[in-house]
Amino acid sequence: MHKEQESKETSFLRSALTIDNPFITTDEFLDWFKSKNQTCLSEVCKISLSELEGWCFSDYPHQLVHRSGKFFSVGGVRVKTTFGPVPEWDQPIITQPEVGILGIITKVVGGVSYFLMQAKMEPGNINSMQLSPTVQATRSNYTCVHKGKLPPYLEYFKNRGKAKILVDQIQSEQGARFFQKVNRNMVVEVENDIQISDNFCWLTLGQIKQLLLKDNIVNMDSRSVLSCIPFVNMDLHQSSGVSFFLESIHIQNLARRITGFSKSLLGSMAKEAACYTLDEILGWYAEMRSKYYLAVEHISLDKMRGWIQTDCNIRQETGQYFSVIGVKVKVRGREVDQWSQPLLETPGHGLVGFLTQKINGVLHFLTCAKLCPGTIGVVEIGPTVTCSHVKERADGTTPQPFLHLFLNVSSENLRYSSIQSEEGGRFYHEQNQYMVIEISPDSKIDLKENYIWMTLWQIMELTKHRYFNIEARNLISCLNFL
Amino acid sequence: MHKEQESKETSFLRSALTIDNPFITTDEFLDWFKSKNQTCLSEVCKISLSELEGWCFSDYPHQLVHRSGKFFSVGGVRVKTTFGPVPEWDQPIITQPEVGILGIITKVVGGVSYFLMQAKMEPGNINSMQLSPTVQATRSNYTCVHKGKLPPYLEYFKNRGKAKILVDQIQSEQGARFFQKVNRNMVVEVENDIQISDNFCWLTLGQIKQLLLKDNIVNMDSRSVLSCIPFVNMDLHQSSGVSFFLESIHIQNLARRITGFSKSLLGSMAKEAACYTLDEILGWYAEMRSKYYLAVEHISLDKMRGWIQTDCNIRQETGQYFSVIGVKVKVRGREVDQWSQPLLETPGHGLVGFLTQKINGVLHFLTCAKLCPGTIGVVEIGPTVTCSHVKERADGTTPQPFLHLFLNVSSENLRYSSIQSEEGGRFYHEQNQYMVIEISPDSKIDLKENYIWMTLWQIMELTKHRYFNIEARNLISCLNFL
């Protein structure tokens, strides 16, 4: 490995293992975050789609668009697929062809990376502000379509030479809601001090992972960027070497404190411990891609079967799926002070979960091939379970595989659980329960062909090359090594 | 590396370095191939699109489709992009959502892999038969839509346990002609003897590469599969270690014979010799993806601006671009004896070329980000030059960068040149000149931002993950280590 890369990955890992931040303790952060949320003067109210300012329905195809032609649009798609229990359906989908930037500035102090995070309000957030990346900007944002201010710190991502690029990857968003949408996920490093604006603060990765134990603090875009962060690839054949490894990167005092599931996670980052090779996993992916069929045809919103479009909103007849609604927003501390926009609203909570198990002593994650109408390249890899209607999918005629293991998990097997929000710029109060559970090495489970076990190192390696969907990446970002 | 993988990669490399085949010499192969071509009783004649049997124009959208709904269809697209000199155009495009199999059976004899290749006729081939993979089958083929025979050897790719899977990757085809088409590229290995049907023979990779020095023998699908074959990742910092490495895998007698460009190629497969890291290349890819815009709208064939549709064919007004034509085929030795189908016909030869240069003593290839209407994920990486109208693009108002270096190359800088055909199942007599040239390490060249240098190891590594377009992969498959 290149020396430089090794040092970058080591300071990321040290940061993930550090919760004592001399600049701001986690308790101080929580106070600061609470006061930010209290003083954030924002007001979001639902309005009819016909009242949306600057938005209109285009004639043909019939879509909800912004008059500037920028931002995003909502159109209809007719989906046909051989994947899953439903062979054909219509649905609205968001199209946003521009590639935005989700970027975090870091700075190394004492061998530890600090991350510049922002308390940011989004109209769909359940709690007004959440912790977002340093920069979270669509191209329309930073080319000033709405004639507001430029997002602060944007120049560190746009101008070569202002910062060292550590992570720079194209990653997808929800294929069930967006048509082939991607963002550029970036982490850059500055050497000199930079001025910290209001609403920004420096946190260690360990602190952010502490905050991910709580509900609805770290937003979806932050989780997406954090999931791209590389850690040192350990050349260990067994997790028993973890302590030795940590000592070698001078985290002796931590080496003793890391036990249980955290130790399993670190062991799962070893390069050569997996039950399948990466080539075998690529072969499985190729088989999934060739086995299942997906055809997506763009249609007019008013041609969607099973959907009702009124002046007020666009909703599914059964009321179980999501709706397209309008909101009007008034706020201080954003680029512009007021605007209105469409959002998608989904009833109830969803669940996103990884089932894990030790195989040959090494922790593996059960991943699953998924086809969604907006997925680039048809197939992405997701976590063991992704479902939006937990109750029906657990009891219905086509129960979601493995869901019952999550719903009936004992505290002894529960490794992680929290409620996290999806992107508040597009989704209204959309929340998922994020869970990781571990079953004992002796448990036998039946796997359908669209499931495969991978180590954490393999997931991180394939994440670089755009195999993993946002649900899987978001859940991976929540894993805590402490 | 896993032991098993190392042995697989070593026998591939030995095969690439072996031209003495005890089963059939290259001269004997050429005689056999010639006689096959002479005895292949096939007749291909152009007919009007309206005379195509089993094909018709659908009403809305207006497309050329097979009555079964299978095989492929030809529709129109309207393309808008910020990439390249033309911001907007209409064109026909082939849609074929099914994923086919391109697969080669191998067998190791004396530590060397032998490849089971097939002399196969395709209607668009300039010379009737070319050398194809063992199996080259669309899903319609092997699910028997045309009620013919099943392709021989298919079971080695479909049934687990019949053979060991060595390569299994999803790879794309021409994004300028196909809408998001991919195939499964496979190499499998058998242990036991298998019966060799008529039209099949075992060749070493070294022999296939000898045949790639000649024009129009090895077909596009074979080249695509061959480009996915992994070779041993050498942990060498300099190409001077190549001889030592070859001796360590028991190819002593070859180690001395490999000199010049072949030695440079082997040196370019070393893991840590590149001027950019893989992470830096992913960052460049992310920048390309976010910088350029591409929107593709499906439209009816009769709505395409600048195109003329008659009973006979669909052609562009200027006559410079490709046309959609019909052919009627009579043949023996295929699944069915006669059929008719549409093909695309392009006037003149194109050129596909890699510019190479030694940087810090290691050979690098100049690669180029490309956007085509049918490209999955919008951006793929191509060779230095890809162009279909060599004359105009060399002299025109927007000359193709670097094209003049290929057209005016001295024999001293020419490393590879041949004429190769594109897929004869879809293209009528379509040929490209494939070239690799090397400029001296002192030559200074100006690079626009959509170009980046990579080593051969990096190209092979990224090829696994679907970054490289078929033109680049095809040219890589032609590289000869002898």
Side-chain angles (χ1 to χ4, degrees):
Chain A
M1 199 188 315
H2 287 242
K3 276 263 161 54
E4 194 172 293
Q5 189 167 346
E6 192 169 295
S7 101
K8 158 180 101 183
E9 296 185 355
T10 308
S11 44
F12 281 146
L13 184 57
R14 282 208 203 92
S15 185
L17 299 173
T18 301
I19 50 174
D20 297 326
N21 176 349
F23 309 111
I24 182 169
T25 68
T26 305
D27 282 342
E28 284 165 354
F29 166 81
L30 286 170
D31 287 342
W32 175 83
F33 185 70
K34 194 171 167 189
S35 78
K36 282 286 159 202
N37 247 316
Q38 281 164 348
T39 56
C40 169
L41 298 171
S42 74
E43 193 186 303
V44 179
C45 57
K46 289 192 187 179
I47 58 173
S48 290
L49 293 177
S50 58
E51 293 174 288
L52 287 171
E53 211 174 313
W55 295 79
C56 62
F57 285 95
S58 61
D59 270 350
Y60 179 78
H62 186 64
Q63 291 179 332
L64 182 55
V65 298
H66 193 260
R67 289 187 204 280
S68 67
K70 300 279 177 174
F71 299 109
F72 61 94
S73 62
V74 182
V77 284
R78 178 156 299 163
V79 187
K80 291 178 188 169
T81 183
T82 55
F83 180 83
V86 185
E88 188 171 340
W89 72 90
D90 296 349
Q91 70 163 79
I93 203 160
I94 298 174
T95 295
Q96 187 172 352
E98 296 177 344
V99 179
I101 291 178
L102 309 178
I104 302 181
I105 294 178
T106 65
K107 185 168 160 55
V108 176
V109 180
V112 172
S113 298
Y114 289 80
F115 292 70
L116 187 58
M117 305 301 287
Q118 176 187 184
K120 191 173 185 201
M121 180 269 168
E122 292 288 357
N125 282 354
I126 201 159
N127 49 352
S128 189
M129 283 186 153
Q130 294 193 10
L131 207 53
S132 90
T134 321
V135 166
Q136 180 179 314
T138 64
R139 207 174 165 84
S140 293
N141 271 155
Y142 64 77
T143 52
C144 286
V145 175
H146 53 23
K147 304 192 173 64
K149 289 173 282 180
L150 268 185
Y153 303 110
L154 182 66
E155 68 270 23
Y156 289 92
F157 301 90
K158 297 293 291 175
N159 305 351
R160 287 284 152 112
K162 286 280 284 188
K164 193 163 77 183
I165 297 173
L166 302 184
V167 171
D168 189 0
Q169 298 173 12
I170 292 293
Q171 296 291 358
S172 65
E173 298 203 356
Q174 284 84 349
R177 301 283 190 272
F178 293 104
F179 187 72
Q180 304 191 345
K181 183 184 175 198
V182 296
N183 277 307
R184 200 168 165 188
N185 286 233
M186 299 180 76
V187 179
V188 302
E189 185 180 300
V190 294
E191 286 207 354
N192 300 324
D193 284 344
I194 58 175
Q195 203 174 353
I196 302 309
S197 311
D198 202 28
N199 290 354
F200 288 80
C201 69
W202 291 106
L203 296 176
T204 69
L205 198 44
Q207 285 181 300
I208 299 172
K209 284 176 181 291
Q210 275 187 309
L211 299 173
L212 280 163
L213 295 170
K214 298 176 185 291
D215 298 346
N216 294 320
I217 292 185
V218 182
N219 81 358
M220 183 187 95
D221 291 339
S222 298
R223 299 196 303 271
S224 178
V225 178
L226 296 177
S227 73
C228 303
I229 288 178
F231 296 106
V232 178
N233 297 324
M234 287 176 284
D235 279 320
L236 306 171
H237 280 268
Q238 293 194 348
S239 53
S240 61
V242 168
S243 307
F244 174 79
F245 168 76
L246 291 177
E247 281 171 20
S248 76
I249 62 165
H250 308 293
I251 321 195
Q252 288 95 332
N253 54 333
L254 279 171
R256 279 183 300 277
R257 269 167 53 190
I258 294 174
T259 55
F261 193 63
S262 300
K263 195 164 174 179
S264 301
L265 286 176
L266 287 168
S268 190
M269 296 201 303
K271 246 182 173 173
E272 306 190 352
C275 59
Y276 299 104
T277 65
L278 269 182
D279 279 351
E280 285 169 337
I281 292 171
L282 293 186
W284 166 82
Y285 177 86
E287 196 178 332
M288 293 299 105
R289 177 67 184 84
S290 73
K291 184 183 176 72
Y292 296 110
Y293 172 87
L294 175 80
V296 179
E297 184 193 347
H298 291 270
I299 60 173
S300 287
L301 282 174
D302 52 7
K303 292 286 187 301
M304 292 191 305
R305 294 172 300 202
W307 292 78
I308 299 164
Q309 183 179 344
T310 65
D311 256 11
C312 181
N313 61 25
I314 302 170
R315 62 181 193 276
Q316 207 209 13
E317 283 170 359
T318 65
Q320 287 178 358
Y321 216 26
F322 65 88
S323 309
V324 184
I325 64 166
V327 293
K328 184 169 188 174
V329 192
K330 282 187 193 169
V331 70
R332 288 204 194 148
R334 286 258 329 193
E335 294 86 9
V336 288
D337 289 327
Q338 69 170 49
W339 73 92
S340 63
Q341 68 168 84
L343 287 177
L344 303 188
E345 181 179 20
T346 306
H349 282 204
L351 191 149
V352 175
F354 260 126
L355 176 66
T356 67
Q357 184 177 36
K358 277 196 181 169
I359 302 174
N360 304 326
V362 176
L363 192 74
H364 282 68
F365 292 71
L366 188 58
T367 70
C368 170
K370 292 271 291 178
L371 282 82
C372 289
T375 302
I376 297 166
V378 180
V379 175
E380 275 189 327
I381 309 176
T384 321
V385 166
T386 322
C387 82
S388 48
H389 302 96
V390 175
K391 272 207 165 166
E392 293 104 60
R393 297 309 300 279
D395 309 331
T397 48
T398 54
Q400 168 112 13
F402 306 112
L403 181 57
H404 63 283
L405 290 178
F406 290 84
L407 298 182
N408 306 314
V409 66
S410 66
S411 61
E412 157 193 27
N413 290 341
L414 181 64
R415 298 292 171 257
Y416 176 80
S417 176
S418 70
I419 305 283
Q420 300 295 341
S421 296
E422 305 311 320
E423 158 68 307
R426 298 293 174 267
F427 304 121
Y428 185 78
H429 294 192
E430 180 150 348
Q431 297 176 85
N432 282 299
Q433 184 169 11
Y434 281 54
M435 293 179 81
V436 179
I437 64 176
E438 181 180 4
I439 52 172
S440 90
D442 318 319
S443 301
K444 290 258 179 293
I445 55 170
D446 266 346
L447 290 190
K448 289 200 179 152
E449 61 185 1
N450 61 321
Y451 292 85
I452 197 170
W453 291 104
M454 297 189 205
T455 62
L456 186 51
W457 176 73
Q458 292 178 323
I459 292 175
M460 295 186 331
E461 195 62 19
L462 292 176
T463 290
K464 279 188 204 170
H465 302 297
R466 304 162 291 151
Y467 288 90
F468 275 93
N469 69 13
I470 190 155
E471 290 87 356
R473 299 198 320 273
N474 267 242
L475 189 46
I476 290 296
S477 77
C478 297
L479 297 173
N480 200 326
F481 302 123
L482 281 172
Chain B
M1 200 187 315
H2 288 241
K3 276 261 161 57
E4 193 172 292
Q5 188 167 349
E6 192 169 294
S7 100
K8 157 181 104 184
E9 296 184 354
T10 308
S11 46
F12 281 146
L13 184 58
R14 282 207 203 91
S15 185
L17 298 173
T18 300
I19 51 176
D20 298 326
N21 177 349
F23 309 111
I24 183 168
T25 68
T26 306
D27 282 343
E28 286 165 354
F29 166 81
L30 287 169
D31 288 342
W32 175 84
F33 185 71
K34 197 172 165 187
S35 78
K36 282 286 156 200
N37 247 316
Q38 281 164 349
T39 55
C40 168
L41 298 172
S42 75
E43 194 185 303
V44 178
C45 58
K46 289 193 189 181
I47 57 173
S48 290
L49 292 178
S50 58
E51 293 173 288
L52 287 172
E53 210 174 314
W55 294 79
C56 61
F57 285 95
S58 62
D59 270 349
Y60 178 78
H62 187 63
Q63 292 180 333
L64 182 55
V65 298
H66 193 260
R67 287 187 206 280
S68 68
K70 301 277 176 177
F71 299 111
F72 62 93
S73 61
V74 182
V77 285
R78 178 155 298 161
V79 187
K80 291 178 188 169
T81 182
T82 54
F83 179 83
V86 185
E88 189 172 340
W89 72 90
D90 295 348
Q91 70 163 78
I93 203 159
I94 298 175
T95 295
Q96 187 173 351
E98 295 177 344
V99 179
I101 291 179
L102 310 177
I104 302 181
I105 293 178
T106 65
K107 185 167 160 55
V108 176
V109 180
V112 172
S113 299
Y114 289 81
F115 292 69
L116 187 58
M117 305 300 287
Q118 177 186 184
K120 189 173 187 200
M121 178 270 170
E122 292 287 357
N125 282 354
I126 202 158
N127 49 352
S128 188
M129 281 188 158
Q130 292 194 10
L131 206 53
S132 89
T134 320
V135 166
Q136 179 178 315
T138 63
R139 205 174 167 84
S140 294
N141 271 154
Y142 63 77
T143 52
C144 285
V145 175
H146 55 20
K147 305 193 174 63
K149 288 173 283 182
L150 268 188
Y153 303 110
L154 183 66
E155 69 270 24
Y156 291 92
F157 301 91
K158 296 293 292 175
N159 305 352
R160 288 284 153 112
K162 286 280 284 186
K164 193 163 76 182
I165 297 173
L166 302 184
V167 171
D168 189 0
Q169 297 173 12
I170 292 293
Q171 296 291 359
S172 65
E173 297 202 357
Q174 285 83 350
R177 300 284 190 272
F178 293 104
F179 187 71
Q180 304 192 345
K181 184 184 174 198
V182 296
N183 277 308
R184 198 168 165 186
N185 285 234
M186 299 180 77
V187 179
V188 302
E189 186 180 301
V190 293
E191 286 207 354
N192 299 324
D193 283 345
I194 57 176
Q195 203 172 356
I196 301 308
S197 311
D198 201 30
N199 290 355
F200 287 80
C201 70
W202 291 106
L203 296 176
T204 68
L205 197 45
Q207 285 181 300
I208 299 171
K209 284 176 181 291
Q210 274 187 310
L211 299 172
L212 280 164
L213 295 170
K214 298 177 185 290
D215 297 346
N216 295 322
I217 292 185
V218 182
N219 83 357
M220 183 187 95
D221 291 339
S222 298
R223 300 196 303 273
S224 178
V225 178
L226 297 176
S227 73
C228 302
I229 287 178
F231 297 107
V232 178
N233 297 323
M234 286 175 285
D235 279 321
L236 305 171
H237 280 267
Q238 292 195 348
S239 54
S240 60
V242 168
S243 309
F244 174 79
F245 168 76
L246 292 177
E247 282 171 20
S248 76
I249 62 165
H250 309 291
I251 320 195
Q252 288 95 331
N253 55 333
L254 279 171
R256 280 183 299 276
R257 270 166 54 190
I258 294 174
T259 54
F261 193 64
S262 299
K263 196 165 173 178
S264 301
L265 285 177
L266 286 169
S268 191
M269 297 201 302
K271 244 183 176 174
E272 306 192 353
C275 60
Y276 300 102
T277 64
L278 268 182
D279 278 350
E280 284 168 337
I281 292 170
L282 293 187
W284 166 81
Y285 177 85
E287 195 176 333
M288 294 299 104
R289 176 65 184 86
S290 72
K291 185 184 173 73
Y292 296 112
Y293 172 88
L294 175 79
V296 179
E297 183 192 349
H298 291 270
I299 61 174
S300 286
L301 283 172
D302 54 6
K303 292 285 187 303
M304 293 191 305
R305 293 172 300 203
W307 292 76
I308 300 165
Q309 183 179 344
T310 67
D311 256 10
C312 182
N313 62 24
I314 302 170
R315 62 181 192 277
Q316 206 210 13
E317 283 170 359
T318 65
Q320 287 178 357
Y321 215 28
F322 65 90
S323 308
V324 184
I325 65 166
V327 293
K328 185 169 188 173
V329 191
K330 283 188 192 167
V331 70
R332 289 204 194 147
R334 284 261 325 194
E335 293 86 10
V336 288
D337 289 325
Q338 70 170 48
W339 72 93
S340 63
Q341 68 167 84
L343 288 176
L344 304 188
E345 180 178 22
T346 306
H349 281 204
L351 193 150
V352 176
F354 260 126
L355 176 66
T356 67
Q357 185 177 36
K358 277 195 180 168
I359 302 174
N360 303 326
V362 176
L363 193 73
H364 282 68
F365 292 72
L366 189 57
T367 70
C368 171
K370 291 271 292 178
L371 282 81
C372 288
T375 302
I376 297 166
V378 179
V379 175
E380 276 188 327
I381 309 176
T384 322
V385 166
T386 322
C387 82
S388 48
H389 301 97
V390 176
K391 272 206 164 165
E392 292 105 61
R393 297 308 299 278
D395 309 332
T397 47
T398 54
Q400 170 111 12
F402 305 112
L403 180 57
H404 64 283
L405 290 177
F406 289 85
L407 298 180
N408 306 315
V409 66
S410 67
S411 62
E412 157 193 24
N413 290 341
L414 181 63
R415 298 290 172 259
Y416 177 81
S417 177
S418 70
I419 305 283
Q420 300 296 341
S421 295
E422 305 311 320
E423 157 68 308
R426 299 291 175 269
F427 304 120
Y428 186 78
H429 293 192
E430 179 149 348
Q431 297 175 86
N432 283 299
Q433 185 169 11
Y434 281 54
M435 293 180 80
V436 179
I437 63 176
E438 181 180 4
I439 52 172
S440 91
D442 318 319
S443 301
K444 289 257 179 293
I445 56 170
D446 266 345
L447 290 190
K448 287 200 181 154
E449 61 183 3
N450 60 321
Y451 292 86
I452 197 168
W453 290 104
M454 296 188 206
T455 62
L456 187 51
W457 177 73
Q458 293 178 322
I459 292 175
M460 294 186 333
E461 195 63 19
L462 293 176
T463 290
K464 280 189 206 170
H465 303 297
R466 304 162 292 151
Y467 287 91
F468 275 93
N469 69 14
I470 190 154
E471 291 86 358
R473 297 196 322 269
N474 266 242
L475 189 46
I476 290 296
S477 78
C478 298
L479 297 173
N480 200 327
F481 302 123
L482 281 170

